[in-house]
Amino acid sequence: MPNDAPQPESESAPTPLEESLVAYLDGELGSEESRRIEELLSADPRARSTLERLERTWRLLDSLGRSEVDDQFTQTTLELVTVAAEDDVRRWRREGPRWRMRRWLIGALGVLAASVVGFVSVAALRPDPNRQLLENLPVIEDLDEYRQIDEVEFLRLLHQEGLFGKEVGDES
């Protein structure tokens, strides 16, 4: 169940108006945008109230003291960054060969898969050159006998008489 209670203003996300007013206070807007904000401020009391609240916040932030950081803090921070970078380098050196091996294996498997797909595609789409030979095998087996006959007309007569049997189809 969603929480319908209003959140404190400090925890809510800034509205587009607040973002524009902050940019106006920071001097980040161009002349056209600044003029538009100034027109809005002259016409809208709610916008003026929001601008005044933001200005008070700015003044309070300016009144806070700045904390000074000594050289020890800088040195400690740099040491932490250096240790983290060294850990990253050690981890990369330890895991780097595994990653290279994985990439090599993935590449090899990709090439193998492409080869298999290519072979299967060509085998399925290319006509079989031996199919015609297999269909004509009964004729080829008796080719020596057929060469003994001088005329094709004689073979046709034998076929019409049914002397070739069932193994040879009706081919001229």
Side-chain angles (χ1 to χ4, degrees), residues 14-84:
T15 65
L17 173 64
E18 290 173 332
E19 288 178 359
S20 297
L21 291 175
V22 167
Y24 175 76
L25 286 173
D26 285 343
E28 297 173 350
L29 299 179
S31 60
E32 180 65 31
E33 294 165 332
S34 292
R35 189 178 54 72
R36 185 181 57 80
I37 292 293
E38 289 167 358
E39 288 174 2
L40 176 68
L41 290 170
S42 66
D44 187 357
R46 191 178 60 123
R48 282 193 303 274
S49 170
T50 304
L51 180 68
E52 289 170 5
R53 183 176 46 83
L54 289 171
E55 284 178 324
R56 280 193 309 270
T57 304
W58 251 245
R59 283 192 297 272
L60 285 174
L61 287 175
D62 286 340
S63 68
L64 291 177
R66 298 207 183 265
S67 42
E68 295 296 322
V69 179
D70 62 352
D71 290 337
Q72 179 66 29
F73 176 79
T74 305
Q75 182 178 355
T76 306
T77 304
L78 287 175
E79 287 174 0
L80 288 173
V81 169
T82 303
V83 168

